[in-house]
Amino acid sequence: MASHEGVTMAATTIAKIFDHPRNAWYVAAWDHEVTRTPLARTVAGRPLALYRTEDGRAVALADACWHRLAPLSMGKVIRDEIQCPYHGLRYDPAGRCTHMPAQETINPSATVPSFPTVDRYRYVWVWVGDPSVADPDAIPDMHQMTDPAWTGDGELIHAPCNYQLVLDNLMDLTHEEFVHSSSIGQRELSEAEFITSHTETTVTVERWMRDIEPPPFWLKNMRDKFPDYDGRVDRWQIIHFEAPSTICIDVGVAKAGTGAPEGDRSQGVNGYVMNTITPETDRTSLYFWSFQRNYRLDSQLITTQLRNGVHGVFGEDERMLAAQQAAIDANPDYEFYSLNIDAGGMWVRRILDRMLAAEGRSAVAHAVER
């Protein structure tokens, strides 16, 4: 059941480095990255070799040959099989060895783990946990990525930090006032009230800023739809987290007083910042993002400008997150304090803690609330 809460919170502490659930779908790659040439990616601590079969199906195998652990991602694809680059053993999409050099009998133990994959929302999703519970319906909703009513583009950031730090960053956007002051930041972000709600697997943080001056990024977007517009706006940020690590942010501005808070956004511009973060190691993450919009769909110029603009904004985040991770490593015994603005992130951590506990891997050693 969802709950809607005030956000007055007592100062609490919480540990900084968070483990990652394994029984979950994570994005391993953009769909166009997985081809007939093997691709190496590490997902939730598991090195993978990704490739496509002749009919285009994505395959994810453990990136280590049964024989001498040579990386299969350094090999080549032959029909629907991947060949080890060291001694030529071949494996089918299920991970069974089908060929050994210089012998006819294949050792029945010659297998490598194979992991469920799904192509959806322009991504290849992989499940590295128990394959018997890998339900494709549990993939987080990112329909704006492929819905014809939306268009946009994005990138992959190799973030040098624990994935939870990225989630914290996205669940509290008041940092925009300070980290992104030249593009999307403004003081009203910290001044505006917000509402936090949650279910067993989701967290939503909603913030409205009424009758304000648009920051440069949003003024440019308004003028893409309403040339020469120079008025005040109503601005919104609706952050929606879906376990374990997908955050889609409904953002936009509309001409002030034209009904956007009540549901009429026709006098504004609307975007979705689509984010899904894959833990790679304890201190590195694969951060997949895209900015989708529902106006001027035919303009590749706007798509490119938005992608480049968001690239610059996220570059500022990346530098801050790298510095934060370095400070965490330099102060291993220091625990975080929480402010009211951390309400969304705290609920995210509770959900992840429950997921880890369900796998018998309680996060107590990694994230202790006191």
Side-chain angles (χ1 to χ4, degrees), residues 154-215:
E155 296 175 340
L156 164 61
I157 296 172
H158 190 205
C161 64
N162 180 268
Y163 81 116
Q164 183 61 59
L165 298 184
V166 185
L167 298 180
D168 286 344
N169 172 276
L170 293 168
M171 291 304 297
D172 167 36
L173 298 182
T174 61
H175 75 271
E176 292 178 0
E177 178 182 352
F178 311 102
V179 180
H180 311 303
S181 58
S182 65
S183 56
I184 57 177
Q186 56 190 142
R187 61 180 175 79
E188 287 87 354
L189 288 160
S190 298
E191 296 173 352
E193 295 183 357
F194 60 95
I195 297 173
T196 302
S197 60
H198 68 93
T199 69
E200 290 298 309
T201 58
T202 69
V203 181
T204 301
V205 179
E206 181 171 354
R207 174 184 284 106
W208 284 86
M209 294 147 279
R210 301 175 189 240
D211 194 21
I212 63 172
E213 292 291 338

Short mmCIF file of all heavy atoms in Angstrom, two decimals, residues 154-215:
data_model
loop_
_atom_site.label_atom_id
_atom_site.label_comp_id
_atom_site.label_asym_id
_atom_site.label_seq_id
_atom_site.Cartn_x
_atom_site.Cartn_y
_atom_site.Cartn_z
N GLY A 154 20.41 9.05 -25.51
CA GLY A 154 21.17 9.08 -24.29
C GLY A 154 22.53 8.44 -24.45
O GLY A 154 23.00 8.19 -25.57
N GLU A 155 23.14 8.12 -23.34
CA GLU A 155 24.51 7.62 -23.33
C GLU A 155 24.72 6.67 -22.15
O GLU A 155 23.82 6.48 -21.32
CB GLU A 155 25.50 8.79 -23.20
CG GLU A 155 25.50 9.75 -24.36
CD GLU A 155 26.40 10.95 -24.14
OE1 GLU A 155 26.73 11.25 -22.97
OE2 GLU A 155 26.76 11.60 -25.14
N LEU A 156 25.91 6.11 -22.09
CA LEU A 156 26.36 5.31 -20.96
C LEU A 156 27.50 6.04 -20.27
O LEU A 156 28.45 6.47 -20.92
CB LEU A 156 26.84 3.94 -21.43
CG LEU A 156 27.69 3.11 -20.44
CD1 LEU A 156 26.91 2.80 -19.17
CD2 LEU A 156 28.20 1.84 -21.11
N ILE A 157 27.37 6.21 -18.95
CA ILE A 157 28.44 6.76 -18.13
C ILE A 157 29.03 5.64 -17.29
O ILE A 157 28.30 4.90 -16.63
CB ILE A 157 27.91 7.87 -17.19
CG1 ILE A 157 27.39 9.06 -17.99
CG2 ILE A 157 29.01 8.32 -16.22
CD1 ILE A 157 26.68 10.10 -17.14
N HIS A 158 30.35 5.50 -17.33
CA HIS A 158 31.02 4.56 -16.43
C HIS A 158 31.34 5.33 -15.17
O HIS A 158 32.36 6.02 -15.09
CB HIS A 158 32.28 4.00 -17.08
CG HIS A 158 32.88 2.87 -16.32
ND1 HIS A 158 34.20 2.52 -16.39
CD2 HIS A 158 32.33 1.97 -15.45
CE1 HIS A 158 34.45 1.50 -15.61
NE2 HIS A 158 33.33 1.13 -15.03
N ALA A 159 30.45 5.25 -14.18
CA ALA A 159 30.55 6.08 -12.99
C ALA A 159 31.50 5.46 -11.97
O ALA A 159 31.31 4.30 -11.57
CB ALA A 159 29.17 6.27 -12.37
N PRO A 160 32.49 6.21 -11.50
CA PRO A 160 33.48 5.66 -10.56
C PRO A 160 33.01 5.73 -9.11
O PRO A 160 33.66 6.32 -8.25
CB PRO A 160 34.70 6.56 -10.80
CG PRO A 160 34.10 7.88 -11.17
CD PRO A 160 32.83 7.57 -11.93
N CYS A 161 31.86 5.09 -8.85
CA CYS A 161 31.30 5.13 -7.49
C CYS A 161 30.32 3.99 -7.31
O CYS A 161 29.84 3.39 -8.27
CB CYS A 161 30.59 6.48 -7.25
SG CYS A 161 29.15 6.74 -8.30
N ASN A 162 29.99 3.72 -6.05
CA ASN A 162 28.96 2.74 -5.73
C ASN A 162 27.62 3.19 -6.30
O ASN A 162 27.30 4.37 -6.30
CB ASN A 162 28.86 2.60 -4.20
CG ASN A 162 27.81 1.62 -3.77
OD1 ASN A 162 26.67 1.99 -3.52
ND2 ASN A 162 28.19 0.35 -3.67
N TYR A 163 26.83 2.23 -6.78
CA TYR A 163 25.58 2.57 -7.44
C TYR A 163 24.61 3.32 -6.54
O TYR A 163 23.81 4.13 -7.01
CB TYR A 163 24.92 1.31 -8.01
CG TYR A 163 24.13 0.48 -7.01
CD1 TYR A 163 22.76 0.31 -7.14
CD2 TYR A 163 24.76 -0.18 -5.95
CE1 TYR A 163 22.04 -0.46 -6.24
CE2 TYR A 163 24.06 -0.96 -5.06
CZ TYR A 163 22.70 -1.10 -5.21
OH TYR A 163 21.97 -1.86 -4.32
N GLN A 164 24.69 3.07 -5.21
CA GLN A 164 23.76 3.75 -4.31
C GLN A 164 24.01 5.25 -4.28
O GLN A 164 23.07 6.03 -4.07
CB GLN A 164 23.88 3.17 -2.90
CG GLN A 164 22.92 3.77 -1.90
CD GLN A 164 21.46 3.55 -2.27
OE1 GLN A 164 21.03 2.42 -2.41
NE2 GLN A 164 20.71 4.63 -2.44
N LEU A 165 25.23 5.69 -4.51
CA LEU A 165 25.51 7.12 -4.55
C LEU A 165 24.81 7.78 -5.74
O LEU A 165 24.35 8.92 -5.66
CB LEU A 165 27.02 7.38 -4.61
CG LEU A 165 27.84 6.87 -3.43
CD1 LEU A 165 29.30 7.29 -3.58
CD2 LEU A 165 27.28 7.37 -2.11
N VAL A 166 24.70 7.06 -6.86
CA VAL A 166 23.98 7.59 -8.02
C VAL A 166 22.48 7.67 -7.70
O VAL A 166 21.81 8.65 -8.02
CB VAL A 166 24.22 6.74 -9.28
CG1 VAL A 166 23.55 7.38 -10.49
CG2 VAL A 166 25.71 6.55 -9.54
N LEU A 167 21.96 6.63 -7.05
CA LEU A 167 20.55 6.65 -6.67
C LEU A 167 20.26 7.80 -5.71
O LEU A 167 19.26 8.51 -5.85
CB LEU A 167 20.15 5.32 -6.03
CG LEU A 167 20.27 4.07 -6.91
CD1 LEU A 167 19.85 2.83 -6.14
CD2 LEU A 167 19.45 4.20 -8.19
N ASP A 168 21.12 8.01 -4.72
CA ASP A 168 20.96 9.14 -3.80
C ASP A 168 20.91 10.45 -4.57
O ASP A 168 20.09 11.33 -4.30
CB ASP A 168 22.13 9.19 -2.82
CG ASP A 168 22.07 8.13 -1.73
OD1 ASP A 168 21.00 7.53 -1.54
OD2 ASP A 168 23.11 7.92 -1.07
N ASN A 169 21.82 10.60 -5.53
CA ASN A 169 21.92 11.82 -6.32
C ASN A 169 20.62 12.10 -7.07
O ASN A 169 20.13 13.24 -7.11
CB ASN A 169 23.10 11.68 -7.29
CG ASN A 169 23.19 12.81 -8.29
OD1 ASN A 169 22.53 12.80 -9.32
ND2 ASN A 169 24.03 13.79 -8.00
N LEU A 170 20.04 11.06 -7.65
CA LEU A 170 18.84 11.24 -8.47
C LEU A 170 17.57 11.39 -7.64
O LEU A 170 16.60 12.00 -8.10
CB LEU A 170 18.70 10.06 -9.44
CG LEU A 170 19.77 9.97 -10.52
CD1 LEU A 170 19.69 8.62 -11.23
CD2 LEU A 170 19.62 11.10 -11.53
N MET A 171 17.55 10.83 -6.43
CA MET A 171 16.36 10.91 -5.61
C MET A 171 16.21 12.27 -4.93
O MET A 171 15.14 12.61 -4.45
CB MET A 171 16.35 9.80 -4.55
CG MET A 171 16.16 8.40 -5.11
SD MET A 171 14.66 8.19 -6.11
CE MET A 171 13.38 8.51 -4.90
N ASP A 172 17.29 13.04 -4.87
CA ASP A 172 17.22 14.39 -4.30
C ASP A 172 17.83 15.37 -5.29
O ASP A 172 19.05 15.43 -5.45
CB ASP A 172 17.96 14.46 -2.97
CG ASP A 172 18.19 15.90 -2.53
OD1 ASP A 172 17.28 16.72 -2.78
OD2 ASP A 172 19.26 16.20 -1.97
N LEU A 173 16.97 16.14 -5.96
CA LEU A 173 17.45 17.04 -7.01
C LEU A 173 17.71 18.45 -6.50
O LEU A 173 17.99 19.36 -7.29
CB LEU A 173 16.45 17.08 -8.16
CG LEU A 173 16.23 15.72 -8.86
CD1 LEU A 173 15.25 15.86 -10.01
CD2 LEU A 173 17.55 15.13 -9.35
N THR A 174 17.66 18.66 -5.18
CA THR A 174 18.01 19.99 -4.69
C THR A 174 19.48 20.31 -4.95
O THR A 174 19.87 21.49 -4.96
CB THR A 174 17.73 20.13 -3.18
OG1 THR A 174 18.52 19.18 -2.45
CG2 THR A 174 16.25 19.90 -2.88
N HIS A 175 20.29 19.27 -5.19
CA HIS A 175 21.70 19.53 -5.48
C HIS A 175 21.88 20.32 -6.78
O HIS A 175 22.94 20.91 -7.01
CB HIS A 175 22.48 18.21 -5.57
CG HIS A 175 22.22 17.44 -6.83
ND1 HIS A 175 21.21 16.51 -6.95
CD2 HIS A 175 22.85 17.46 -8.04
CE1 HIS A 175 21.23 16.00 -8.16
NE2 HIS A 175 22.21 16.55 -8.85
N GLU A 176 20.84 20.35 -7.63
CA GLU A 176 20.94 21.11 -8.88
C GLU A 176 21.26 22.59 -8.63
O GLU A 176 21.95 23.22 -9.42
CB GLU A 176 19.64 20.99 -9.67
CG GLU A 176 19.37 19.60 -10.22
CD GLU A 176 18.05 19.53 -10.96
OE1 GLU A 176 17.34 20.56 -11.04
OE2 GLU A 176 17.72 18.43 -11.47
N GLU A 177 20.74 23.13 -7.52
CA GLU A 177 20.99 24.53 -7.21
C GLU A 177 22.48 24.82 -7.08
O GLU A 177 22.95 25.92 -7.42
CB GLU A 177 20.27 24.92 -5.91
CG GLU A 177 20.53 26.36 -5.48
CD GLU A 177 19.85 26.71 -4.17
OE1 GLU A 177 19.06 25.90 -3.65
OE2 GLU A 177 20.12 27.83 -3.66
N PHE A 178 23.25 23.83 -6.65
CA PHE A 178 24.65 24.06 -6.32
C PHE A 178 25.60 23.43 -7.35
O PHE A 178 26.62 24.01 -7.69
CB PHE A 178 24.94 23.51 -4.93
CG PHE A 178 23.92 23.98 -3.92
CD1 PHE A 178 22.89 23.15 -3.50
CD2 PHE A 178 23.96 25.27 -3.43
CE1 PHE A 178 21.93 23.58 -2.60
CE2 PHE A 178 23.01 25.72 -2.52
CZ PHE A 178 21.99 24.87 -2.11
N VAL A 179 25.25 22.24 -7.86
CA VAL A 179 26.12 21.54 -8.80
C VAL A 179 25.88 22.00 -10.23
O VAL A 179 26.80 22.02 -11.05
CB VAL A 179 25.93 20.02 -8.67
CG1 VAL A 179 26.84 19.27 -9.64
CG2 VAL A 179 26.21 19.56 -7.25
N HIS A 180 24.62 22.39 -10.54
CA HIS A 180 24.25 22.73 -11.92
C HIS A 180 23.70 24.15 -12.01
O HIS A 180 22.69 24.41 -12.68
CB HIS A 180 23.21 21.74 -12.44
CG HIS A 180 23.56 20.30 -12.20
ND1 HIS A 180 24.73 19.74 -12.65
CD2 HIS A 180 22.89 19.31 -11.55
CE1 HIS A 180 24.77 18.45 -12.30
NE2 HIS A 180 23.66 18.18 -11.62
N SER A 181 24.36 25.08 -11.36
CA SER A 181 23.82 26.44 -11.25
C SER A 181 23.73 27.17 -12.58
O SER A 181 22.92 28.09 -12.72
CB SER A 181 24.68 27.25 -10.27
OG SER A 181 26.03 27.29 -10.71
N SER A 182 24.51 26.76 -13.58
CA SER A 182 24.51 27.48 -14.85
C SER A 182 23.53 26.91 -15.86
O SER A 182 23.39 27.45 -16.97
CB SER A 182 25.91 27.46 -15.47
OG SER A 182 26.29 26.12 -15.80
N SER A 183 22.81 25.84 -15.52
CA SER A 183 21.95 25.19 -16.51
C SER A 183 20.54 24.94 -15.99
O SER A 183 19.56 25.52 -16.48
CB SER A 183 22.58 23.87 -16.98
OG SER A 183 22.84 23.03 -15.86
N ILE A 184 20.39 24.06 -14.99
CA ILE A 184 19.06 23.69 -14.51
C ILE A 184 18.83 24.07 -13.05
O ILE A 184 17.72 23.90 -12.54
CB ILE A 184 18.81 22.17 -14.68
CG1 ILE A 184 19.89 21.36 -13.95
CG2 ILE A 184 18.76 21.80 -16.15
CD1 ILE A 184 19.67 19.86 -14.00
N GLY A 185 19.86 24.57 -12.38
CA GLY A 185 19.73 24.87 -10.96
C GLY A 185 19.12 26.23 -10.69
O GLY A 185 19.27 27.16 -11.46
N GLN A 186 18.39 26.33 -9.57
CA GLN A 186 17.86 27.60 -9.09
C GLN A 186 17.46 27.42 -7.63
O GLN A 186 17.19 26.30 -7.17
CB GLN A 186 16.67 28.07 -9.93
CG GLN A 186 15.53 27.08 -10.03
CD GLN A 186 14.50 27.52 -11.08
OE1 GLN A 186 13.97 26.71 -11.78
NE2 GLN A 186 14.21 28.82 -11.16
N ARG A 187 17.41 28.54 -6.88
CA ARG A 187 17.20 28.46 -5.44
C ARG A 187 15.82 27.90 -5.09
O ARG A 187 15.63 27.33 -4.01
CB ARG A 187 17.38 29.84 -4.80
CG ARG A 187 16.43 30.90 -5.29
CD ARG A 187 16.67 32.24 -4.61
NE ARG A 187 15.84 33.29 -5.15
CZ ARG A 187 14.55 33.47 -4.84
NH1 ARG A 187 13.97 32.66 -3.98
NH2 ARG A 187 13.85 34.45 -5.38
N GLU A 188 14.84 28.06 -5.99
CA GLU A 188 13.49 27.56 -5.69
C GLU A 188 13.47 26.04 -5.47
O GLU A 188 12.55 25.50 -4.85
CB GLU A 188 12.53 27.93 -6.82
CG GLU A 188 12.15 29.40 -6.87
CD GLU A 188 13.14 30.24 -7.67
OE1 GLU A 188 14.19 29.68 -8.09
OE2 GLU A 188 12.87 31.44 -7.88
N LEU A 189 14.48 25.32 -5.99
CA LEU A 189 14.53 23.88 -5.79
C LEU A 189 14.62 23.52 -4.31
O LEU A 189 13.96 22.58 -3.84
CB LEU A 189 15.73 23.29 -6.53
CG LEU A 189 15.62 23.24 -8.06
CD1 LEU A 189 16.99 23.11 -8.69
CD2 LEU A 189 14.72 22.08 -8.48
N SER A 190 15.42 24.27 -3.58
CA SER A 190 15.58 23.99 -2.15
C SER A 190 14.43 24.54 -1.33
O SER A 190 14.15 24.06 -0.23
CB SER A 190 16.90 24.59 -1.65
OG SER A 190 18.00 24.00 -2.31
N GLU A 191 13.75 25.55 -1.86
CA GLU A 191 12.68 26.20 -1.11
C GLU A 191 11.33 25.50 -1.27
O GLU A 191 10.47 25.62 -0.40
CB GLU A 191 12.55 27.66 -1.57
CG GLU A 191 13.79 28.51 -1.28
CD GLU A 191 13.70 29.89 -1.90
OE1 GLU A 191 12.75 30.13 -2.68
OE2 GLU A 191 14.57 30.72 -1.62
N ALA A 192 11.15 24.78 -2.38
CA ALA A 192 9.85 24.19 -2.67
C ALA A 192 9.56 23.00 -1.77
O ALA A 192 10.45 22.19 -1.46
CB ALA A 192 9.78 23.77 -4.14
N GLU A 193 8.30 22.85 -1.38
CA GLU A 193 7.89 21.67 -0.63
C GLU A 193 7.82 20.47 -1.57
O GLU A 193 7.70 20.61 -2.79
CB GLU A 193 6.52 21.91 0.01
CG GLU A 193 6.52 23.00 1.08
CD GLU A 193 5.16 23.15 1.74
OE1 GLU A 193 4.22 22.44 1.31
OE2 GLU A 193 5.05 23.97 2.66
N PHE A 194 7.91 19.27 -1.00
CA PHE A 194 7.82 18.06 -1.81
C PHE A 194 7.08 16.99 -1.03
O PHE A 194 6.98 17.04 0.19
CB PHE A 194 9.20 17.57 -2.25
CG PHE A 194 10.14 17.24 -1.13
CD1 PHE A 194 10.25 15.94 -0.67
CD2 PHE A 194 10.92 18.22 -0.53
CE1 PHE A 194 11.12 15.62 0.37
CE2 PHE A 194 11.79 17.92 0.51
CZ PHE A 194 11.90 16.62 0.95
N ILE A 195 6.56 16.02 -1.77
CA ILE A 195 5.80 14.92 -1.18
C ILE A 195 6.51 13.61 -1.55
O ILE A 195 6.86 13.39 -2.71
CB ILE A 195 4.35 14.89 -1.70
CG1 ILE A 195 3.61 16.15 -1.30
CG2 ILE A 195 3.62 13.64 -1.18
CD1 ILE A 195 2.23 16.27 -1.92
N THR A 196 6.72 12.78 -0.56
CA THR A 196 7.35 11.47 -0.76
C THR A 196 6.32 10.38 -0.51
O THR A 196 5.60 10.41 0.49
CB THR A 196 8.54 11.27 0.19
OG1 THR A 196 9.49 12.32 -0.02
CG2 THR A 196 9.21 9.93 -0.04
N SER A 197 6.24 9.42 -1.43
CA SER A 197 5.35 8.27 -1.24
C SER A 197 6.10 7.01 -1.66
O SER A 197 7.11 7.07 -2.37
CB SER A 197 4.06 8.43 -2.06
OG SER A 197 4.35 8.55 -3.44
N HIS A 198 5.59 5.86 -1.24
CA HIS A 198 6.30 4.62 -1.56
C HIS A 198 5.35 3.43 -1.52
O HIS A 198 4.29 3.46 -0.89
CB HIS A 198 7.45 4.39 -0.58
CG HIS A 198 7.01 4.08 0.82
ND1 HIS A 198 6.83 2.79 1.27
CD2 HIS A 198 6.69 4.89 1.85
CE1 HIS A 198 6.44 2.82 2.53
NE2 HIS A 198 6.33 4.08 2.91
N THR A 199 5.76 2.37 -2.22
CA THR A 199 5.14 1.06 -2.12
C THR A 199 6.24 0.08 -1.72
O THR A 199 7.33 0.48 -1.32
CB THR A 199 4.50 0.63 -3.46
OG1 THR A 199 5.55 0.38 -4.42
CG2 THR A 199 3.59 1.72 -4.00
N GLU A 200 5.99 -1.20 -1.87
CA GLU A 200 7.00 -2.20 -1.52
C GLU A 200 8.20 -2.16 -2.45
O GLU A 200 9.30 -2.58 -2.09
CB GLU A 200 6.39 -3.61 -1.54
CG GLU A 200 5.42 -3.87 -0.40
CD GLU A 200 6.08 -3.77 0.96
OE1 GLU A 200 7.13 -4.42 1.15
OE2 GLU A 200 5.57 -3.03 1.83
N THR A 201 8.00 -1.66 -3.68
CA THR A 201 9.09 -1.70 -4.67
C THR A 201 9.35 -0.36 -5.34
O THR A 201 10.22 -0.27 -6.21
CB THR A 201 8.78 -2.73 -5.78
OG1 THR A 201 7.54 -2.38 -6.40
CG2 THR A 201 8.68 -4.14 -5.20
N THR A 202 8.60 0.69 -4.99
CA THR A 202 8.76 1.98 -5.66
C THR A 202 8.82 3.11 -4.64
O THR A 202 8.33 2.99 -3.51
CB THR A 202 7.60 2.26 -6.63
OG1 THR A 202 6.39 2.48 -5.89
CG2 THR A 202 7.40 1.12 -7.61
N VAL A 203 9.41 4.22 -5.06
CA VAL A 203 9.43 5.45 -4.28
C VAL A 203 9.20 6.61 -5.25
O VAL A 203 9.78 6.64 -6.33
CB VAL A 203 10.77 5.67 -3.54
CG1 VAL A 203 10.73 6.96 -2.72
CG2 VAL A 203 11.11 4.48 -2.67
N THR A 204 8.36 7.56 -4.84
CA THR A 204 8.09 8.73 -5.68
C THR A 204 8.28 9.99 -4.85
O THR A 204 7.81 10.07 -3.71
CB THR A 204 6.65 8.69 -6.24
OG1 THR A 204 6.48 7.50 -7.03
CG2 THR A 204 6.39 9.91 -7.13
N VAL A 205 8.99 10.95 -5.43
CA VAL A 205 9.17 12.27 -4.82
C VAL A 205 8.66 13.31 -5.81
O VAL A 205 9.14 13.37 -6.95
CB VAL A 205 10.65 12.54 -4.47
CG1 VAL A 205 10.81 13.93 -3.87
CG2 VAL A 205 11.20 11.48 -3.54
N GLU A 206 7.68 14.11 -5.40
CA GLU A 206 7.06 15.09 -6.29
C GLU A 206 7.28 16.50 -5.77
O GLU A 206 7.06 16.79 -4.59
CB GLU A 206 5.56 14.81 -6.41
CG GLU A 206 4.84 15.77 -7.35
CD GLU A 206 3.40 15.35 -7.62
OE1 GLU A 206 3.00 14.25 -7.16
OE2 GLU A 206 2.68 16.11 -8.29
N ARG A 207 7.74 17.37 -6.67
CA ARG A 207 8.02 18.76 -6.30
C ARG A 207 7.49 19.69 -7.41
O ARG A 207 7.73 19.45 -8.59
CB ARG A 207 9.52 18.98 -6.11
CG ARG A 207 9.92 20.41 -5.85
CD ARG A 207 11.44 20.57 -5.77
NE ARG A 207 11.97 20.09 -4.49
CZ ARG A 207 12.65 18.95 -4.33
NH1 ARG A 207 12.88 18.17 -5.39
NH2 ARG A 207 13.09 18.60 -3.14
N TRP A 208 6.78 20.74 -7.01
CA TRP A 208 6.31 21.78 -7.93
C TRP A 208 6.86 23.13 -7.50
O TRP A 208 6.88 23.45 -6.31
CB TRP A 208 4.78 21.83 -7.95
CG TRP A 208 4.17 20.71 -8.74
CD1 TRP A 208 3.87 19.46 -8.30
CD2 TRP A 208 3.80 20.75 -10.12
NE1 TRP A 208 3.34 18.70 -9.30
CE2 TRP A 208 3.28 19.47 -10.45
CE3 TRP A 208 3.86 21.73 -11.12
CZ2 TRP A 208 2.82 19.16 -11.72
CZ3 TRP A 208 3.41 21.42 -12.38
CH2 TRP A 208 2.89 20.15 -12.68
N MET A 209 7.28 23.91 -8.47
CA MET A 209 7.74 25.29 -8.25
C MET A 209 6.89 26.20 -9.13
O MET A 209 6.99 26.13 -10.36
CB MET A 209 9.23 25.41 -8.59
CG MET A 209 10.14 24.61 -7.66
SD MET A 209 11.63 23.97 -8.48
CE MET A 209 10.95 22.50 -9.28
N ARG A 210 6.06 27.01 -8.52
CA ARG A 210 5.08 27.80 -9.27
C ARG A 210 5.54 29.24 -9.46
O ARG A 210 6.11 29.85 -8.55
CB ARG A 210 3.73 27.78 -8.55
CG ARG A 210 3.16 26.38 -8.36
CD ARG A 210 1.89 26.40 -7.53
NE ARG A 210 1.47 25.05 -7.16
CZ ARG A 210 0.30 24.51 -7.49
NH1 ARG A 210 -0.57 25.21 -8.20
NH2 ARG A 210 -0.02 23.29 -7.11
N ASP A 211 5.25 29.75 -10.65
CA ASP A 211 5.47 31.17 -10.98
C ASP A 211 6.91 31.59 -10.69
O ASP A 211 7.17 32.47 -9.89
CB ASP A 211 4.48 32.04 -10.19
CG ASP A 211 4.44 33.47 -10.74
OD1 ASP A 211 4.82 33.68 -11.91
OD2 ASP A 211 4.03 34.37 -9.98
N ILE A 212 7.83 30.94 -11.39
CA ILE A 212 9.26 31.22 -11.21
C ILE A 212 9.89 31.58 -12.55
O ILE A 212 9.31 31.33 -13.62
CB ILE A 212 10.00 30.01 -10.60
CG1 ILE A 212 9.93 28.82 -11.56
CG2 ILE A 212 9.44 29.66 -9.23
CD1 ILE A 212 10.79 27.64 -11.14
N GLU A 213 11.09 32.14 -12.49
CA GLU A 213 11.86 32.36 -13.71
C GLU A 213 12.46 31.03 -14.16
O GLU A 213 13.02 30.29 -13.35
CB GLU A 213 12.98 33.37 -13.46
CG GLU A 213 12.50 34.79 -13.18
CD GLU A 213 11.88 35.45 -14.41
OE1 GLU A 213 12.20 35.01 -15.54
OE2 GLU A 213 11.09 36.39 -14.22
N PRO A 214 12.37 30.69 -15.45
CA PRO A 214 12.96 29.43 -15.89
C PRO A 214 14.48 29.52 -15.94
O PRO A 214 15.04 30.53 -16.38
CB PRO A 214 12.38 29.24 -17.29
CG PRO A 214 12.11 30.63 -17.77
CD PRO A 214 11.71 31.41 -16.55
N PRO A 215 15.20 28.48 -15.49
CA PRO A 215 16.65 28.47 -15.65
C PRO A 215 17.01 28.31 -17.13
O PRO A 215 16.14 27.98 -17.95
CB PRO A 215 17.09 27.25 -14.83
CG PRO A 215 15.90 26.35 -14.84
CD PRO A 215 14.70 27.25 -14.86
#
